[in-house]
Amino acid sequence: MDAYDHGATISELGRRFGISRGRVRTIVAKYDATQDRQPHPKEAEFAQAVTMYEAGQTLKSISATVGMPETTLRIGLVKRGVRMRPRGKVKG
């Protein structure tokens, strides 16, 4: 469940473990019932992340600053129209 806690999607987990999305949902639902889940990131956190990314910071450093998984961060930035840099490149 570590991957789920760090932002992996239901589809990603299904592919990773070779099981259906429905089965993953069942497992996640049982897991969620026993865990205190973090709230969904707020728009203000994403606004801060957009500014930081466009200033050249890496997803890893932004993730540590705003406290959200890199996968969630990447998806949120893309949904907000941010053009992603190639991996491993820092804007200088």
Side-chain angles (χ1 to χ4, degrees):
M1 295 311 297
D2 189 48
Y4 176 71
D5 284 337
H6 287 91
T9 66
I10 298 293
S11 294
E12 289 169 344
L13 292 171
R15 283 191 300 274
R16 181 180 296 175
F17 296 106
I19 59 177
S20 71
R21 290 188 318 245
R23 179 72 181 132
V24 174
R25 281 189 203 99
T26 299
I27 293 167
V28 167
K30 288 180 184 178
Y31 174 74
D32 275 345
T34 64
Q35 301 295 314
D36 289 331
R37 300 296 300 158
Q38 294 180 348
H40 291 290
K42 296 182 177 147
E43 189 57 40
E45 293 169 316
F46 278 117
Q48 178 185 9
V50 167
T51 300
M52 294 169 74
Y53 189 80
E54 289 177 343
Q57 290 195 36
T58 64
L59 288 177
K60 185 174 185 173
S61 68
I62 299 167
S63 174
T65 300
V66 299
M68 77 175 73
E70 288 179 49
T71 303
T72 302
L73 182 59
R74 176 179 286 278
I75 291 168
L77 293 176
V78 169
K79 284 182 178 179
R80 286 158 182 81
V82 174
R83 186 168 186 192
M84 304 307 293
R85 296 185 298 272
R87 293 181 187 261
K89 304 287 183 188
V90 177
K91 185 177 174 181

